[in-house]
Amino acid sequence: MGEPNTCANGMTKSQVMDIAMDMGRILLKSGAETSRVEDTMMRFCRSHGYYDLNVFCTPTVIILGDESAHGKSRVFRVRWRAVDLGLIMDINNLSYNFKRWGMTYKMAKEWMRERIRQSHPYGNLGVCLASGVGSAAFTMLLGGNGHDFAASFLCGFVAMGILKLLNRLHPTAFWENFMAGLLIGFVALTACKIDRACSLENIIVGALMPFLPGLPFTNGVRDYIGGDLLSGNSRIAEAILFALSIAVGLAFSMKIWMWGGLR
């Protein structure tokens, strides 16, 4: 069979599906809720006159199907997700302004590749510093003193730094959060051992704040309220699992500390 008829700007149905799948992949990997992914992909396809395309999205897979006779489907498996609100905003702008910008298939592909290359402008050191400052700020909000501030900053900085190094090994999210809790526990206990003016509770609670899965839980509630029960339940369960993995890592560090007779 020949190539399907082209739309007004010269793109075929296959090319429209390709760009729509790229949009969905970037959105889901950047932390967008599944309802946003489905809405963006469907809006893009229908704006090009293809109403027989349909999307099914979960936190781990995207299926874009052609419901016409002899139509084909595309599947993308999502194995990891991060948080990049800038990329989400860029893809939303592309979906709304594609025709107004007069973009072609090749221009859109290059535009998305360039946005992905520019998606991490701060670098690992900037992220680690932000984690340390956030941890210290939360500790002060909890009533910590200057000693707690310094110790919490160190906890957040060290934990995020080690996680960035471990990212090269591509660990699962469970082990990432477990290691975060483990490192925060060890650093906080060491700080309190060295400086008796430190408050262990304030340091630990403040240092844990940047690592809590607030966005997955919020997205899960949004999906659940929007009627997407599968994605809503999955994301809420994922957030609970992440929180438990942090707690397990923290408890494990304290247990090791007690076994060593250091407290």
Side-chain angles (χ1 to χ4, degrees), residues 145 147-148 189 191-199 262-263:
N145 53 35
H147 301 268
D148 298 334
L189 288 167
C192 291
K193 185 74 173 179
I194 296 173
D195 186 354
R196 295 296 180 179
C198 291
S199 171
L262 298 174
R263 189 175 183 185

Side-chain angles (χ1 to χ4, degrees), residues 172-200:
T172 62
F174 176 88
W175 289 111
E176 283 188 354
N177 287 278
F178 174 84
M179 287 300 300
L182 186 72
L183 292 166
I184 288 172
F186 277 129
V187 175
L189 288 167
T190 302
C192 291
K193 185 74 173 179
I194 296 173
D195 186 354
R196 295 296 180 179
C198 291
S199 171
L200 182 63

Side-chain angles (χ1 to χ4, degrees), residues 131-157 184 187-189 191-193 195-208:
S131 175
V133 171
S135 299
F138 277 115
T139 296
M140 296 303 290
L141 287 175
L142 294 170
N145 53 35
H147 301 268
D148 298 334
F149 181 91
S152 186
F153 175 87
L154 186 62
C155 286
F157 183 85
I184 288 172
V187 175
L189 288 167
C192 291
K193 185 74 173 179
D195 186 354
R196 295 296 180 179
C198 291
S199 171
L200 182 63
E201 293 79 10
N202 289 337
I203 296 171
I204 288 178
V205 174
L208 286 177

